[in-house]
Amino acid sequence: MTTLMQASLFTVTGNDLDLDPILYSMNVSPTTSSFAINQVTGEITATQDLKYELNSNFVLNVTASDSRHATHALYTITLTSKCIINLNVNHIRND
């Protein structure tokens, strides 16, 4: 598997009933700098070729927040020799 740097993996989205702007942030476990999130669009990208990662499973804790509320979602990514599999949202909690 080869992943181009800055390749788009997927995009998370959120809706705000008050139409406030939503900003996105992310923590990755185990810690790696191989993934990044665009704080405005929610696009998650690979920052480097993922074939060099020592781990094959990652949990991305993504936060979508407006000026008053935040929602968290956990995404599991499994790296295989052929593709990246996104196993969808595992858990959502609201603050």
Side-chain angles (χ1 to χ4, degrees):
M1 171 192 65
T2 300
T3 308
L4 297 176
M5 287 180 58
Q6 302 306 315
S8 179
L9 303 178
F10 61 96
T11 301
V12 296
T13 60
N15 296 317
D16 186 273
L17 297 177
D18 301 323
L19 302 178
D20 294 329
I22 297 174
L23 295 178
Y24 300 94
S25 60
M26 177 178 71
N27 291 313
V28 181
S29 178
T31 301
T32 180
S33 60
S34 293
F35 304 100
I37 190 166
N38 181 301
Q39 71 174 4
V40 176
T41 67
E43 180 183 31
I44 295 174
T45 56
T47 60
Q48 60 191 9
D49 190 341
L50 298 177
K51 73 180 178 184
Y52 298 112
E53 274 294 342
L54 298 176
N55 297 300
S56 60
N57 293 300
F58 297 91
V59 175
L60 282 57
N61 182 355
V62 177
T63 301
S65 61
D66 63 10
S67 59
R68 294 172 285 191
H69 305 287
T71 298
H72 307 274
L74 299 178
Y75 294 83
T76 300
I77 291 181
T78 301
L79 305 179
T80 68
S81 60
K82 298 188 186 267
C83 65
I84 297 174
I85 302 168
N86 173 15
L87 300 176
N88 297 319
V89 178
N90 293 345
H91 176 75
I92 298 174
R93 70 178 191 270
N94 298 317
D95 291 345

